[in-house]
Amino acid sequence: MHRTMPKGRLEAFSDGVIAIIITIMVLELKVPHETTIEALKPILPVFLSYVLSFIYVGIYWNNHHHMMHVARGVTGGVLWANLHLLFWLSLVPFVTGWMGENHFEAVPSALYGVVLLMAGVAYVILQYAILHCPGGNPVLERALGRDVKGKLAMTLYAAAIGLSFVSTWISGALYVFVAMMWLVPDRRIVKAMAEAPAAAPEEH
Amino acid sequence: MHRTMPKGRLEAFSDGVIAIIITIMVLELKVPHETTIEALKPILPVFLSYVLSFIYVGIYWNNHHHMMHVARGVTGGVLWANLHLLFWLSLVPFVTGWMGENHFEAVPSALYGVVLLMAGVAYVILQYAILHCPGGNPVLERALGRDVKGKLAMTLYAAAIGLSFVSTWISGALYVFVAMMWLVPDRRIVKAMAEAPAAAPEEH
Amino acid sequence: MHRTMPKGRLEAFSDGVIAIIITIMVLELKVPHETTIEALKPILPVFLSYVLSFIYVGIYWNNHHHMMHVARGVTGGVLWANLHLLFWLSLVPFVTGWMGENHFEAVPSALYGVVLLMAGVAYVILQYAILHCPGGNPVLERALGRDVKGKLAMTLYAAAIGLSFVSTWISGALYVFVAMMWLVPDRRIVKAMAEAPAAAPEEH
Amino acid sequence: MHRTMPKGRLEAFSDGVIAIIITIMVLELKVPHETTIEALKPILPVFLSYVLSFIYVGIYWNNHHHMMHVARGVTGGVLWANLHLLFWLSLVPFVTGWMGENHFEAVPSALYGVVLLMAGVAYVILQYAILHCPGGNPVLERALGRDVKGKLAMTLYAAAIGLSFVSTWISGALYVFVAMMWLVPDRRIVKAMAEAPAAAPEEH
């Protein structure tokens, strides 16, 4: 008989890694030597890319929070699927810095999309691993439905990667648009929870 | 029916982010190459701004601790209001470094105030989000009253921003004064808790 | 009478340290100044060594997770054995950076193996400390058996250290091989847990 | 009536800050550009000071762990006493780097002692705050007794500060000696716990 383990440490470890990722990005904001307002101008694109990435990482934490809230336990497979997601998120500071310091040029903007796309793929794999834990997860299953939102986001990332070479304004606009789309937290899970009061998490 | 989620992960994630913010500021204290006591002198303003920011971030953690202690659960809105607060706090190391390395000049001192002001605004929004969770929060409501302390702090930040251009001694003194004012932890919450023993948090 | 303490904080502290270790390695990926795909080429070995070390640290976290899950409490000795393990893991970013920036040359590759070997030894000591906590730990004992996997890994690390001076391709291949070997999480513990339902952890 | 709050978040936040402090020290170990064993020689004093500081921070975490284990709850005063301790610990990476990069010269060695001494003072204040929480803490009180060990450590730090200007070999030896003295975890608490089974922590 397979058994699941409590999810507490997976949550704590993910919280730690995501907290560090979201915070070390700010180290890319190098303190300027002058003390005028103009001295802040060259930092502006770095700052804007920081804001965008902060929101993206925030979205991942938020959705992760909602999804793990309805998970009933974890298996070895879930642990690795989660580490895989954290791996791609850990590359966000690098691509954010590269894009920001180069004023949103083509290749860095495309690579930013690649990392977002891979993080999206990793999130889907994690969802899949949780859905296939022993006992299944009907609440999450109902909440996801056909996961239109997830599929749309990944299609738009893929489009943005290609369109980076046409105009980084378009790809940038797409990244902002997908972020806005996700800013509304996964109400599907909240809704599915409300409809299925009996499917409360097994433990802590 | 709306439901709230347990607050444990929001607390853990906030603890992580605030712990990192408070600690990476110390990285601005660059190790000097000489080994005399004089070699520490140029670091003194950086050190003083580190102390000030450590206290400010400590105050936020402390008040956050007290406020979340009486929160009864979280919603998607609270999660985002909290991320918004963490965003502004994450900028504290940057403005601390800028102000410290430039011996408290006008523009960096003003920007320091802007970040403190925005963090204050974000904190008020988070308070509001918690007060408007399903079921309300009478303990927090009573503790805050008309929130004179919060409003005074923000007025003083705004004044300090403007006064930075007159004298950074005045703005600096105001930042220190507000910090002192908050160093006394939010006894209002402790008091309101003592008066309303039945309003204990719903869940860990 | 000896008593054990709850394991919650040891887990939380380890999660924090490992989360930081796994994340600061990404800081070695220095943002290039050009914006071409070619500009990423010199970073490739750094990236590959990052991937390898991410997997290794992930494996340690994963196995630590499984092992602590069946631990029934901690003693002062376990706390120190755990800190000793974290010490060696904390050196992984340094040796990863040295190896990656120097395209897997002999001495850095060997030192990488030394750190992996010492972390392996530290892990064995931690296992030993947990097995010898008051009351013992029959589940972990059964799961480990003669710990063939652990002994094999350490033999291969030792071999890789020596073989680094023959060819870093061989030592690199051995590091990848051992990682693959561990990627399968410690099913022994899951299996032993399933067979001994009564040996559940004493406390959260 | 005064009430205490649960100690969970104070522990989690302290774990986070201490985990970061212990880990960012390793960033001072700069990756050398050559790939010979000789290239590691200049790093040796940095490495040795890293080991010493890792042990010191580990000791603080360990003792903090034992002390908070018997604490029955926290007050606003305890929160601030704890932040004060974390402040001094946060300066350890700075003084470690200064001492290590300058081969244990007089002023850096003395400053290292100052930070250790202040951390020791902060720890005593935290002990005092916990002992004076509403309801007191007879277990901790009995465990501490006259706190000979704590007083001896601080006397030795003070001596080492002065002796740094005579010979840094003496001050270094004293730092190592005090660390060894503390490496034995606070058995006093374990012992006092065993003698007073009824004084278990109030919550969580």
Side-chain angles (χ1 to χ4, degrees):
Chain A
M1 190 196 103
H2 266 285
R3 282 216 240 141
T4 60
M5 292 174 284
K7 61 191 177 181
R9 271 195 84 180
L10 181 142
E11 291 182 333
F13 183 70
S14 306
D15 283 349
V17 172
I18 297 174
I20 298 158
I21 290 169
I22 218 167
T23 324
I24 62 174
M25 281 193 295
V26 91
L27 295 176
E28 281 296 320
L29 283 177
K30 300 278 178 353
V31 171
H33 291 296
E34 276 95 76
T35 59
T36 56
I37 291 176
E38 285 76 44
L40 294 176
K41 245 187 220 162
I43 308 180
L44 192 67
V46 184
F47 179 72
L48 289 180
S49 62
Y50 172 59
V51 173
L52 183 63
S53 294
F54 190 98
I55 293 173
Y56 263 114
V57 177
I59 288 166
Y60 270 102
W61 180 74
N62 223 319
N63 287 350
H64 192 272
H65 182 289
H66 280 76
M67 181 161 69
M68 291 313 301
H69 177 53
V70 294
R72 311 178 72 187
V74 297
T75 60
V78 171
L79 293 188
W80 276 109
N82 191 58
L83 275 165
H84 179 233
L85 171 62
L86 295 177
F87 174 76
W88 288 107
L89 291 180
S90 81
L91 295 177
V92 169
F94 173 77
V95 291
T96 302
W98 203 33
M99 186 171 75
E101 283 178 26
N102 293 290
H103 304 70
F104 300 88
E105 281 190 36
V107 178
S109 293
L111 195 69
Y112 189 81
V114 169
V115 168
L116 287 183
L117 179 60
M118 292 309 296
V121 169
Y123 193 82
V124 168
I125 295 173
L126 178 59
Q127 267 179 352
Y128 183 89
I130 291 173
L131 284 172
H132 288 76
C133 271
N137 197 321
V139 181
L140 185 60
E141 212 173 318
R142 198 164 333 111
L144 288 173
R146 289 186 306 130
D147 196 13
V148 178
K149 208 169 162 186
K151 282 171 190 156
L152 178 59
M154 277 188 281
T155 312
L156 291 177
Y157 294 147
I161 294 169
L163 290 166
S164 291
F165 297 96
V166 179
S167 158
T168 55
W169 285 103
I170 301 178
S171 59
L174 282 174
Y175 297 144
V176 172
F177 176 77
V178 177
M180 292 303 116
M181 195 176 93
W182 279 113
L183 262 182
V184 183
D186 236 325
R187 290 205 186 284
R188 301 173 294 177
I189 284 179
V190 176
K191 215 171 138 250
M193 272 163 55
E195 286 164 4
E202 204 168 65
E203 56 198 316
H204 179 50
Chain B
M1 192 196 104
H2 265 284
R3 283 214 242 141
T4 60
M5 292 174 284
K7 61 190 177 180
R9 271 195 83 179
L10 180 143
E11 291 183 332
F13 183 70
S14 306
D15 284 348
V17 171
I18 296 175
I20 298 159
I21 290 170
I22 218 168
T23 321
I24 61 174
M25 280 192 296
V26 92
L27 295 177
E28 282 296 319
L29 283 177
K30 300 278 178 352
V31 172
H33 291 297
E34 278 93 78
T35 59
T36 56
I37 291 177
E38 285 75 44
L40 294 176
K41 245 186 221 162
I43 309 180
L44 193 67
V46 184
F47 179 72
L48 289 180
S49 62
Y50 172 59
V51 174
L52 183 63
S53 294
F54 190 99
I55 293 173
Y56 263 115
V57 177
I59 288 167
Y60 270 103
W61 180 74
N62 224 319
N63 288 350
H64 192 273
H65 182 288
H66 281 76
M67 181 161 69
M68 291 314 302
H69 177 54
V70 294
R72 310 178 72 187
V74 298
T75 60
V78 170
L79 293 188
W80 277 109
N82 191 59
L83 275 166
H84 179 233
L85 171 62
L86 294 178
F87 173 76
W88 289 106
L89 291 180
S90 81
L91 295 178
V92 169
F94 173 78
V95 291
T96 302
W98 204 32
M99 186 171 75
E101 284 178 24
N102 294 289
H103 303 69
F104 301 88
E105 282 191 35
V107 179
S109 293
L111 195 68
Y112 190 81
V114 169
V115 168
L116 287 184
L117 179 59
M118 293 309 297
V121 169
Y123 193 82
V124 169
I125 295 174
L126 177 59
Q127 268 179 350
Y128 184 89
I130 290 173
L131 284 172
H132 288 76
C133 272
N137 196 321
V139 182
L140 184 60
E141 214 173 318
R142 198 163 335 110
L144 289 173
R146 287 187 306 129
D147 196 13
V148 178
K149 206 170 164 186
K151 280 170 191 157
L152 178 59
M154 278 188 280
T155 311
L156 292 177
Y157 293 145
I161 294 168
L163 289 166
S164 291
F165 298 96
V166 179
S167 158
T168 55
W169 285 103
I170 303 178
S171 59
L174 282 173
Y175 297 144
V176 172
F177 176 77
V178 178
M180 292 303 116
M181 195 175 94
W182 279 113
L183 262 183
V184 184
D186 235 327
R187 290 205 186 284
R188 302 174 293 178
I189 284 180
V190 176
K191 213 169 139 251
M193 271 163 54
E195 286 163 5
E202 203 168 65
E203 57 198 313
H204 170 52
Chain C
M1 189 195 107
H2 266 285
R3 281 216 243 141
T4 59
M5 292 174 285
K7 61 191 177 180
R9 269 194 86 180
L10 180 143
E11 291 183 333
F13 183 70
S14 306
D15 284 349
V17 171
I18 297 175
I20 298 158
I21 289 169
I22 217 167
T23 323
I24 61 174
M25 281 193 294
V26 90
L27 295 176
E28 282 296 318
L29 283 176
K30 301 279 177 355
V31 171
H33 291 295
E34 276 95 76
T35 59
T36 56
I37 290 176
E38 284 75 44
L40 294 176
K41 247 188 220 161
I43 309 179
L44 193 67
V46 184
F47 179 71
L48 289 179
S49 62
Y50 172 59
V51 174
L52 183 63
S53 294
F54 190 99
I55 292 173
Y56 263 113
V57 178
I59 288 167
Y60 270 102
W61 180 73
N62 223 318
N63 288 350
H64 193 271
H65 182 289
H66 281 76
M67 181 162 67
M68 292 313 302
H69 176 53
V70 294
R72 310 178 74 187
V74 296
T75 59
V78 170
L79 294 188
W80 277 109
N82 191 59
L83 276 165
H84 179 234
L85 170 63
L86 294 177
F87 173 76
W88 289 106
L89 290 180
S90 81
L91 295 178
V92 169
F94 173 76
V95 290
T96 302
W98 204 33
M99 186 172 74
E101 283 178 25
N102 294 289
H103 303 70
F104 301 88
E105 281 191 35
V107 179
S109 293
L111 195 69
Y112 190 80
V114 170
V115 168
L116 287 183
L117 179 60
M118 292 309 296
V121 170
Y123 193 82
V124 168
I125 295 173
L126 178 59
Q127 268 178 350
Y128 183 89
I130 290 174
L131 284 172
H132 288 77
C133 270
N137 197 320
V139 181
L140 184 59
E141 214 174 317
R142 197 162 336 111
L144 288 174
R146 288 185 306 130
D147 196 14
V148 179
K149 207 170 162 187
K151 282 170 191 158
L152 178 59
M154 278 188 281
T155 311
L156 292 177
Y157 293 147
I161 294 169
L163 290 166
S164 291
F165 298 95
V166 179
S167 158
T168 54
W169 284 103
I170 302 178
S171 59
L174 282 174
Y175 297 145
V176 172
F177 176 78
V178 179
M180 292 304 116
M181 195 176 93
W182 280 114
L183 262 181
V184 183
D186 236 326
R187 291 205 185 284
R188 301 174 293 179
I189 285 180
V190 175
K191 212 168 140 253
M193 272 163 57
E195 287 164 3
E202 203 167 64
E203 55 198 316
H204 171 50
Chain D
M1 190 196 103
H2 266 286
R3 283 216 241 141
T4 60
M5 292 173 285
K7 61 190 176 179
R9 269 195 85 180
L10 180 142
E11 292 183 332
F13 183 69
S14 306
D15 284 348
V17 171
I18 297 175
I20 298 158
I21 289 169
I22 218 168
T23 322
I24 62 175
M25 281 192 295
V26 91
L27 295 176
E28 282 296 319
L29 282 177
K30 300 278 178 355
V31 171
H33 290 296
E34 276 95 76
T35 58
T36 56
I37 290 176
E38 285 75 46
L40 294 175
K41 247 188 220 161
I43 309 180
L44 192 68
V46 185
F47 179 72
L48 288 179
S49 62
Y50 172 59
V51 173
L52 183 63
S53 294
F54 190 99
I55 292 173
Y56 263 114
V57 177
I59 287 166
Y60 271 102
W61 180 74
N62 223 318
N63 288 349
H64 192 272
H65 182 289
H66 281 76
M67 181 161 68
M68 291 315 301
H69 177 53
V70 293
R72 309 178 74 188
V74 298
T75 60
V78 171
L79 293 188
W80 276 109
N82 191 60
L83 275 165
H84 178 233
L85 171 62
L86 295 178
F87 173 76
W88 289 107
L89 290 180
S90 81
L91 294 178
V92 169
F94 173 77
V95 290
T96 302
W98 204 33
M99 186 172 74
E101 283 178 24
N102 294 290
H103 304 68
F104 301 88
E105 281 191 34
V107 179
S109 293
L111 195 69
Y112 190 81
V114 170
V115 168
L116 286 184
L117 180 59
M118 292 310 296
V121 170
Y123 193 82
V124 168
I125 295 173
L126 178 59
Q127 267 179 351
Y128 183 90
I130 290 173
L131 283 172
H132 289 77
C133 271
N137 196 322
V139 182
L140 185 59
E141 214 173 317
R142 196 161 338 111
L144 288 174
R146 290 185 306 127
D147 197 14
V148 178
K149 206 169 163 187
K151 280 169 192 158
L152 178 59
M154 278 188 281
T155 311
L156 292 177
Y157 294 146
I161 294 169
L163 290 166
S164 292
F165 298 97
V166 179
S167 158
T168 55
W169 285 102
I170 302 178
S171 59
L174 282 173
Y175 297 145
V176 172
F177 176 78
V178 179
M180 292 304 115
M181 194 175 95
W182 280 113
L183 261 182
V184 183
D186 235 327
R187 291 208 184 280
R188 303 174 292 179
I189 285 180
V190 175
K191 212 169 139 252
M193 273 163 56
E195 286 163 4
E202 203 169 62
E203 55 198 319
H204 177 50

